[in-house]
Amino acid sequence: MKTILLFLCIILQTLCQDYYQLLGVQRSASDDQIKKAFKKLSLKYHPDKAKGNKEESEKQFQKIVNAYEILKDPEQRKIYDKYGEEGLKEHTQRQQQQQQGHFNYNDIFSRFFGGGGFQQQKPNLEQSLFSKSDVYEIDMTTINRFFRRDHVWLIFFYKNDDYGRQHKNIWNELASKYYGIFQVAAINCAAENEICDDEFQVYEFPKVYAYPANIRQEPIEYKQSMEIDQLAKFAIQFMESFVSIVTNENYEKFIQQEEQHIVLLFTNKTSTPPLLKVLSKELKGKLVFGQVRYSDTKLIEQFQIKKFPTLMVVTDPEQYRGVIYEQNDFKKEQIMKFLREYAYISKKVKKTHQVPRELSTQLIKNGACTTKDTKMCFIIITQDNNYLDLLNPLSQHYMKDKIDFYYINKNNLIYSELFDDISSFPTAVVIKPKKERYAKLQGELTLSNIQDFLDSIISGNVQFKPMNDSLDLNIFKEDL
């Protein structure tokens, strides 16, 4: 019966999948011709390189790979030429049945004693060294991920010989230690010689190359000793970083992020940790990352940082407050879980303009117009509150600028201790609280005159004077 089925398949060969037609070669094609045809078609239909319908390209690519796997093997090609696809299936089933029913004494001996049985077995050069490990193994079916890479890849090109095996443990440990930071991969070039030759142009083994995330950049060969720290340092130098160095001098500019939360790492290291680099890349556009070094004592004191490293999501940048990551282990998965809430759920809402307020002792206690305030303060010093009608349109007009608007009764302020040139009212000043400097409005207290004054300040055309004292509780008169 089986013979009849095989005979029918041979007669109906046109109904079966013709591997030679798939590769576009004659049935008498040599191994080299089949190899060249496969290379040409695999590049044409590879899902990451093909144009048009990717799903159809992927199906065709799988058919081409399957055809090549059959025709490159002399025994399978012989069976296919004689019996077709059904013959191959029959042959595979028969082999599986024989393996299940065959008791191999040498296999049992090898399992118990770790040797090669009663016969000395040679190592299989095509056998993988990294199955069931964190090392990403590249072959024709998995290489598409490499073409779509968005991180640094460090690839070990090897053959399963003495030279390749001596680096197995180091490569496994490197992949485990830096999992999620950069991609540690390997290619067995004895089994995947077409990939090593044609895709990577690597002909000597073992070799290590770093491939930057940008596919337009050329790979860089690693030429130092195979040590974990040296290998990691080599890969890390090619990582992209979207982390800013934040200091007391540039802090005001850095916190002007209206759409995303700010993440700060306070550290006693001078270089940016690779974990922070990869987080800044993966969460780019969702969070803004900065690094504060331990030498910036003023910022560390203002944020009340007690230990290094400390990771914080800044929730109130003007008051130097935030939520600290409390875990002792700085693991990527745990930190991502901590940051995800702020990246995807609780994004900062764009603030509306701050309405004008009376400058009171309570506001001063909260830091308004003191050295803790990062905004400029426009203050009208007057004898009545009739200027609210003037302040309201100003606060709306300058809502995108770092200016808050206040008024204060002159009887609640010892103005002579603050300013040298104020003696008549109403008047107005702009204070730069952190620098404790001020500028006085010249001319009448009208909307157009104030706007010209503020526009000149914003454009940097107004000269500020030093204040005589700080604007704190000591300069407010006690209420009677």
Side-chain angles (χ1 to χ4, degrees), residues 74-220:
E75 183 181 0
Q76 292 193 78
R77 182 180 179 183
K78 185 177 180 181
I79 295 169
Y80 175 75
D81 287 345
K82 193 171 183 181
Y83 301 112
E85 275 189 280
E86 288 298 321
L88 281 172
K89 293 177 182 178
E90 182 79 18
H91 176 72
T92 302
Q93 290 174 0
R94 191 181 298 116
Q95 277 190 326
Q96 291 174 347
Q97 290 171 357
Q98 289 175 350
Q99 289 172 358
Q100 290 172 359
H102 183 61
F103 189 80
N104 192 326
Y105 288 95
N106 284 328
D107 288 345
I108 299 299
F109 188 93
S110 177
R111 287 179 194 173
F112 276 95
F113 299 100
F118 294 105
Q119 298 176 352
Q120 187 64 36
Q121 297 180 0
K122 294 181 179 179
N124 182 1
L125 295 181
E126 296 188 6
Q127 185 176 355
S128 170
L129 292 178
F130 301 106
S131 57
K132 297 180 181 179
S133 75
D134 289 325
V135 177
Y136 186 82
E137 295 187 274
I138 297 177
D139 57 30
M140 190 57 73
T141 61
T142 62
I143 195 173
N144 58 326
R145 185 177 164 193
F146 168 77
F147 290 130
R148 294 198 301 264
R149 68 186 182 274
D150 56 2
H151 291 296
V152 173
W153 281 54
L154 199 63
I155 303 180
F156 178 45
F157 297 85
Y158 74 97
K159 290 184 177 180
N160 191 353
D161 53 17
D162 291 340
Y163 296 106
R165 285 191 295 273
Q166 69 179 337
H167 303 306
K168 175 183 177 180
N169 292 338
I170 290 174
W171 211 250
N172 275 325
E173 189 175 342
L174 181 71
S176 177
K177 185 174 181 179
Y178 289 93
Y179 184 82
I181 307 299
F182 54 84
Q183 185 67 65
V184 178
I187 305 178
N188 184 347
C189 292
E192 306 294 339
N193 62 303
E194 293 88 359
I195 298 178
C196 295
D197 290 355
D198 301 334
E199 294 290 346
F200 293 99
Q201 289 82 51
V202 176
Y203 309 103
E204 297 178 5
F205 318 101
K207 290 281 186 181
V208 173
Y209 282 88
Y211 293 81
N214 187 343
I215 61 174
R216 294 181 179 85
Q217 289 184 253
E218 291 294 321
I220 306 93

